[in-house]
Structure formats: structure tokens, C-alpha cells
Amino acid sequence: IELSHASMRYRDGPLVLKDLSFKVKSGEKLGVCGRTGSGKSSLMIALFRISEIEQDGGKIVIDDVNTGEIGTQALRLNLSIIPQEPVMFSNTVRYNLDPFNTKGDDELWDVLKKVRLDEVIAGLPKGLDEVVSEGGENFSQGQRQLLCIGRSLLRKPKILVMDEATASIDNETDAAIQEMIRENFKDATVLTIAHRLNTIMDSDRILVLDDGRIAEMDTPSNLLSKENGHFRAMVER
């Protein structure tokens, strides 16, 4: 992924991303952090083209393709996001894992095993055909998030975005989910927007945003050893 002079605003508001230029290598695990309002979520919104970047020479390029020049469907089919609030459909477990109905039962059970939900689903009266109630009420918050991870896993995305996906679950489940993502998405490029800094401590590099600009970008150890660094200050706080 390569951003070149990318700026973005919402409608007629002020710029929320300001002239961002950086590269993420294939398969790299990048942590993204910064104070509230620093532009973390806006970066993901720009990546998925939910809001377009300014058309004054700025661009976002993935695998040498300028994403502004292709259809949003082609772009989004190759990206996957695990949001902070897991999105559940009032439909079967099967539909929630595979909404486009492209996978067989074996693949679904294989993925459920990977996200450690196989026994939970097998224990339901109708198994894969059990209906998920509105908002996923018949599953715990952690289980809903694991189902969302399963959905992403089935799609085998090249790029995975974790948008503070573990902000609302306990530390133990958080640690288990981080491990699962490392295991199952080791070949994917993973961008993790962090709410808790410990979730990005083992990233290859960390991008620190401040007021829509890059404050610093380096390995966690280099950032921690930087005397008056932004990241170090955040960790100390």
C-alpha cells in the first residue's frame, strides 16, 4: 500500500488527513495510533473509499493500482475490515459467515475451528442453520467478534484492517484474538488501529498520527527509545 500526498476532508469541513505519504510492505503488520481525532479512522475510510481523498495529485496505490481509478466493488472485494462493533445479520450462522454463499460446509467448519467456535456452533440445535437473533443477542460480544473474524478469514483478503476491533472485550479474549489474527493472517498485510497500545506492540512498525499528519513511523523499539517521542509519551501516559 502506498499513500502519496493523500489529504481528505468530510464534505466542506476542514482537512482530517493532511498530505500523508508512506508505504506499507506486502505482508507487513502496521499498528496505527494517535489521540482521538488524529485521523486513525479517517485513514481507513480513505482506504476503502467511503470518502474520497482530495483530487489534487494525492493518491492511494495498492499493488501498483491507483485505487481512485477502479470501481469500489473491485477495491473492497480485496480488503477486509473487522470493525469495533461486530456486524451481525438477522439470519443463520452460515449466512453470517458466508453472506455470498460461496463456501462449502467443510470450509465453514474449518474456519469455525480456527476461531475456536466449532464446539459452540456444533452445540446449537440447528448448528450452522441456527438463526442469529437481531444484533447477535444470542452470542456474547467476544463470540460475535470471533464470527466476524471467521467471515474475514473465509474471504482470504490480501489486506485486513482491524479498527479497534478488541476495544470492547476483556484483555484475555483480546490476547486470544490477537494471537488468532497473527496465526491466520500471517501472509496478509494487516493494519491495526489501536485503542489499547499493547495490541500493537508486536507490529513490524507503528504509524503515529497527530492532527491528520504523520508524527512518527518506525519500529516499536525505535519509537520507545526516542526521548521526546509521541509514541513513548502515549505509552508512559
Side-chain angles (χ1 to χ4, degrees), residues 25-60:
K25 295 191 283 284
S26 173
E28 187 173 16
K29 308 296 178 259
L30 181 74
V32 182
C33 65
R35 290 192 299 254
T36 307
S38 60
K40 303 187 294 292
S41 293
S42 298
L43 179 60
M44 301 311 154
I45 283 168
L47 191 62
F48 279 84
R49 285 184 57 199
I50 294 165
S51 198
E52 300 285 354
I53 60 170
E54 302 274 295
Q55 295 302 310
D56 52 1
K59 56 186 179 183
I60 298 177

Side-chain angles (χ1 to χ4, degrees), residues 19-213:
D19 198 32
L20 295 186
S21 295
F22 64 89
K23 276 185 189 178
V24 185
K25 295 191 283 284
S26 173
E28 187 173 16
K29 308 296 178 259
L30 181 74
V32 182
C33 65
R35 290 192 299 254
T36 307
S38 60
K40 303 187 294 292
S41 293
S42 298
L43 179 60
M44 301 311 154
I45 283 168
L47 191 62
F48 279 84
R49 285 184 57 199
I50 294 165
S51 198
E52 300 285 354
I53 60 170
E54 302 274 295
Q55 295 302 310
D56 52 1
K59 56 186 179 183
I60 298 177
V61 174
I62 298 176
D63 286 350
D64 301 326
V65 174
N66 181 344
T67 59
E69 293 172 359
I70 59 172
T72 50
Q73 190 177 3
L75 168 68
R76 292 170 190 166
L77 274 172
N78 292 291
L79 304 175
S80 194
I81 185 161
I82 299 173
Q84 191 169 347
E85 282 305 317
V87 177
M88 303 298 284
F89 307 105
S90 303
N91 207 311
T92 60
V93 170
R94 179 193 305 278
Y95 181 89
N96 270 279
L97 283 170
D98 180 25
F100 298 109
N101 195 22
T102 57
K103 310 290 181 195
D105 281 20
D106 292 353
E107 286 178 276
L108 298 185
W109 283 114
D110 186 42
V111 152
L112 286 169
K113 203 173 193 162
K114 284 180 178 167
V115 297
R116 300 172 203 167
L117 282 178
D118 49 330
E119 289 176 15
V120 175
I121 304 302
L124 298 172
K126 293 183 182 167
L128 286 171
D129 295 311
E130 186 77 19
V131 172
V132 175
S133 63
E134 197 170 337
E137 293 297 317
N138 47 347
F139 291 94
S140 71
Q141 177 78 13
Q143 287 171 336
R144 295 202 288 268
Q145 201 54 284
L146 290 170
L147 279 168
C148 278
I149 292 171
R151 188 189 303 151
S152 283
L153 259 177
L154 269 176
R155 293 184 51 206
K156 301 187 173 69
K158 297 252 179 69
I159 295 171
L160 175 70
V161 174
M162 300 275 297
D163 187 2
E164 301 190 352
T166 51
S168 45
I169 46 190
D170 62 90
N171 282 329
E172 195 181 334
T173 316
D174 182 7
I177 286 176
Q178 296 303 329
E179 187 188 330
M180 203 172 289
I181 283 158
R182 276 196 293 277
E183 231 167 79
N184 294 307
F185 293 100
K186 53 178 179 286
D187 299 329
T189 305
V190 182
L191 307 184
T192 304
I193 298 183
H195 195 64
R196 301 175 179 156
L197 295 177
N198 60 330
T199 58
I200 57 169
M201 279 302 188
D202 62 347
S203 303
D204 298 320
R205 286 188 301 160
I206 290 174
L207 165 67
V208 184
L209 290 173
D210 186 42
D211 192 27
R213 299 181 194 279

Side-chain angles (χ1 to χ4, degrees), residues 211-228:
D211 192 27
R213 299 181 194 279
I214 298 173
E216 44 193 22
M217 187 175 184
D218 208 334
T219 62
S221 56
N222 284 353
L223 290 178
L224 284 171
S225 61
K226 211 169 151 188
E227 267 199 17
N228 297 312

